[in-house]
């Protein structure tokens, strides 16, 4: 194996340490510095040849003669003190070296003292201080450092793979308008034929600071109508359905447009696929708002006869006008408990997602017209492209299409 290329400064420091340490051996000092015994011996001999010194004059082991008349007890005490002084000087040199290491490390670890950073510091300063001394001062295991050093090629390959994956993630994230988190991005990558684990996607997203939009708190818009005729809760918090077109749910949410002004959005969702089959946007919360959304649902499905429509106890849904429309369309009404948002949780969660992904942390939309266009685009995209966790990460329309294909196969098989 080829000898490492040590700097002249390192060699000089190694020689000085050997020459100034009482009772030092080549083996012991070489082990401290992480160098071979033969290399250290060669450096010492070359230094002595250049300086014209001998082992006796180079190392402070030789002692000056004591003054005449000193008794044996005093001489022993003097020799003991001399040995102690030499030991203290050696200890001081050692502490000075460690102080230099820690001073450099303080600047090096300014961005965070992680184990990988310590390994890198040892690697960068190994010629100046030696691997063993650095590992001792920094409190790391030498074998762990060597294992880290030997894995450099594999680490470089992983970093390149993470960078390539980050580019793919960023493309999907951008295409989702910055809304997707790791579950939906994983589903998108798998749909493109990539076999990948969601934990890896989440790790790379954290590493490259790619994140979806976080949830904002929702402001309630339900205004109960005390005089309304009671309607039974036919859902009992079961927001699932065996097929499209049998169970729907609806709610109203506010859309802030600035300066204290609002638009209001009413939606009708199919419980089977979470598809938005009807919606309406207006500057008011009158019954016409929810009625228009239900009429759009009827137009989308073609027929709502026999379907159950679930809502809260807002005045719009408990009004006689809306009850008459439901009767006209053949819709059976269902309502949750008064003042209990959990009885319409799926619809409220949908509206929270809509505002989270369209407002993007802003307090309001920049104007009513832009608000309408933004929400319209999002609703259309939601139905056709946005992956939904309840659908196995398929979009609502794709999920319904898959269900229809499976139904057709069963019919043909029968």
């Amino acid at each position: 194996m080829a000898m490492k290329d040590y700097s002249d400064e390192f060699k000089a420091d190694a020689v000085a340490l050997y020459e100034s340490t009482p009772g030092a051996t080549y083996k012991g000092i070489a082990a401290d510095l992480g160098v071979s015994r033969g290399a250290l011996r060669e450096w010492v001999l070359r230094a002595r040849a250049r300086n014209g010194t001998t082992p006796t004059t180079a190392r402070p082991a030789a002692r000056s003669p004591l003054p005449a008349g000193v008794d044996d007890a005093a001489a022993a005490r003097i020799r003991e003190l001399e040995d102690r002084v030499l030991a203290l000087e050696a200890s001081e040199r050692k502490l000075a070296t460690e102080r230099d290491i820690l001073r450099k490390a303080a600047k090096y670890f300014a961005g965070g003292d992680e184990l990988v950073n310590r390994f890198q510091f040892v690697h960068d300063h190994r010629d100046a201080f030696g691997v063993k001394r650095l590992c001792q001062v920094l409190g790391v295991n030498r074998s762990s450092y060597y294992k880290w050093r030997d894995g450099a090629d594999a680490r470089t390959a992983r970093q390149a793979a993470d960078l390539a994956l980050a580019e793919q993630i960023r493309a999907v994230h951008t295409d989702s308008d910055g809304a997707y988190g790791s579950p939906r991005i994983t589903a998108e990558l798998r749909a493109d034929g990539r076999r990948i684990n969601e934990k890896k996607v989440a790790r790379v997203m954290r590493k490259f600071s790619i994140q979806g939009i976080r949830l904002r708190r929702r402001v309630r818009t339900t205004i109960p109508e005390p005089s309304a005729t009671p309607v039974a809760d036919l859902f009992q918090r079961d927001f699932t359905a065996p097929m499209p077109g049998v169970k729907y749910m609806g709610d109203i949410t506010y859309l802030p447009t600035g300066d204290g002004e609002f638009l209001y959005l009413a939606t009708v969702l199919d419980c089977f696929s979470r598809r938005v089959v009807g919606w309406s946007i207006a500057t008011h919360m009158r019954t016409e708002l929810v009625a228009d959304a239900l009429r759009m649902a009827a137009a989308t499905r073609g027929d709502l006869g026999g379907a159950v429509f679930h809502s809260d106890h807002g005045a719009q849904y408990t009004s006689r006008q809306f009850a008459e429309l439901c009767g006209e369309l053949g819709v059976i009404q269902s309502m949750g408990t008064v003042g209990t948002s959990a009885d319409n949780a799926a619809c409220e969660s949908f509206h929270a997602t809509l505002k989270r992904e369209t407002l993007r942390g802003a307090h309001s939309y920049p104007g009513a017209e832009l608000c309408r266009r933004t929400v319209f685009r999002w609703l259309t995209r939601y139905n056709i492209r946005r992956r939904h966790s309840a659908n196995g990460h398929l979009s609502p329309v794709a999920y319904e299409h898959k269900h229809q294909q499976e139904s057709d196969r069963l019919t043909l098989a029968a």
Side-chain angles (χ1 to χ4, degrees):
M1 181 179 295
M3 183 179 296
K4 296 180 182 177
D5 184 17
Y6 295 98
S7 66
D8 292 338
E9 181 182 2
F10 177 82
K11 295 176 183 178
D13 288 341
V15 171
L17 178 62
Y18 174 78
E19 297 286 20
S20 61
T21 302
T25 63
Y26 288 125
K27 183 178 179 180
I29 298 298
D32 284 343
L33 299 178
V35 302
S36 69
R37 176 185 177 280
L40 177 61
R41 181 175 180 277
E42 182 180 353
W43 298 342
V44 172
L45 294 178
R46 286 181 180 177
R48 289 173 179 172
R50 285 194 303 268
N51 300 331
T53 60
T54 64
T56 303
T57 59
R59 296 172 61 185
R63 297 165 176 169
S64 58
L66 296 175
V70 177
D71 59 29
D72 292 342
R77 179 59 177 165
I78 291 172
R79 295 305 184 191
E80 180 184 349
L81 292 175
E82 286 179 344
D83 290 341
R84 186 175 298 180
V85 168
L86 292 174
L88 289 173
E89 288 176 347
S91 177
E92 183 181 0
R93 285 190 295 273
K94 182 179 178 181
L95 291 174
T97 301
E98 294 179 353
R99 185 173 60 250
D100 290 342
I101 292 173
L102 293 174
R103 186 182 295 115
K104 293 179 182 294
K107 298 178 181 179
Y108 198 92
F109 299 144
D113 181 12
E114 299 177 0
L115 184 58
V116 170
N117 289 346
R118 295 190 183 197
F119 289 154
Q120 189 65 55
F121 180 84
V122 172
H123 193 71
D124 292 344
H125 297 83
R126 66 190 186 282
D127 290 343
F129 300 104
V131 172
K132 182 176 181 180
R133 180 65 59 82
L134 286 165
C135 289
Q136 288 174 339
V137 173
L138 297 179
V140 298
N141 192 294
R142 268 193 295 170
S143 62
S144 298
Y145 159 73
Y146 288 125
K147 184 177 180 180
W148 172 86
R149 183 198 63 183
D150 295 340
D153 292 341
R155 197 161 51 249
T156 300
R158 284 196 300 270
Q159 290 172 351
D162 284 353
L163 181 61
L165 178 58
E167 292 303 317
Q168 294 178 313
I169 291 173
R170 191 171 282 110
V172 175
H173 184 259
T174 301
D175 191 51
S176 71
D177 290 339
Y180 279 6
S182 58
R184 290 186 174 85
I185 289 180
T186 303
E188 195 74 36
L189 293 174
R190 287 174 179 171
D192 291 338
R194 173 102 186 233
R195 297 182 62 183
I196 193 162
N197 186 285
E198 182 187 332
K199 290 183 179 179
K200 183 175 183 178
V201 173
R203 177 182 63 79
V204 173
M205 290 181 70
R206 287 194 301 271
K207 180 178 179 180
F208 290 89
S209 300
I210 305 171
Q211 59 182 343
I213 303 171
R214 299 187 178 276
L215 185 65
R216 290 171 55 86
R217 291 184 61 85
R218 179 185 182 276
V219 177
R220 294 183 60 195
T221 55
T222 300
I223 303 174
E225 175 54 65
S227 61
T229 302
V231 176
D233 183 356
L234 304 179
F235 270 37
Q236 295 297 317
R237 300 187 183 181
D238 179 9
F239 304 109
T240 63
M243 64 182 68
V246 295
K247 291 173 67 177
Y248 297 96
M249 51 187 170
D251 197 6
I252 301 172
T253 191
Y254 77 106
L255 304 172
T257 58
D259 297 328
E261 300 295 326
F262 298 92
L263 291 178
Y264 298 94
L265 169 69
T267 53
V268 178
L269 278 70
D270 191 305
C271 291
F272 174 75
S273 63
R274 300 298 197 271
R275 180 179 177 180
V276 187
V277 293
W279 72 78
S280 176
I281 301 176
T283 57
H284 60 80
M285 286 200 301
R286 296 190 295 271
T287 302
E288 289 88 344
L289 177 68
V290 296
D292 287 345
L294 191 62
R295 290 191 185 96
M296 180 180 174
T300 301
R301 290 303 195 194
D303 181 21
L304 297 181
V308 177
F309 176 77
H310 184 80
S311 68
D312 57 27
H313 278 264
Q316 303 85 354
Y317 294 112
T318 57
S319 66
R320 179 180 298 177
Q321 180 184 347
F322 189 73
E324 291 175 351
L325 176 61
C326 288
E328 178 185 329
L329 298 175
V331 172
I332 303 170
Q333 281 190 271
S334 169
M335 293 185 184
T337 305
V338 176
T340 306
S341 60
D343 288 346
N344 203 22
C347 220
E348 295 203 9
S349 176
F350 167 79
H351 285 156
T353 299
L354 182 153
K355 287 195 282 189
R356 179 188 70 205
E357 296 185 4
T358 54
L359 280 171
R360 300 171 175 276
H363 295 293
S364 63
Y365 299 92
E369 285 304 314
L370 185 57
C371 173
R372 287 177 183 272
R373 291 196 300 269
T374 301
V375 173
F376 168 76
R377 178 180 180 272
W378 189 91
L379 291 171
T380 305
R381 183 188 182 92
Y382 169 89
N383 278 339
I384 299 173
R385 297 188 57 188
R386 189 183 185 280
R387 297 179 182 275
H388 202 298
S389 57
N391 297 340
H393 288 298
L394 292 176
S395 70
V397 170
Y399 190 63
E400 289 187 1
H401 181 64
K402 177 184 176 183
H403 171 78
Q404 186 61 49
Q405 287 180 324
E406 292 174 351
S407 299
D408 292 343
R409 282 198 298 269
L410 292 174
T411 302
L412 292 173

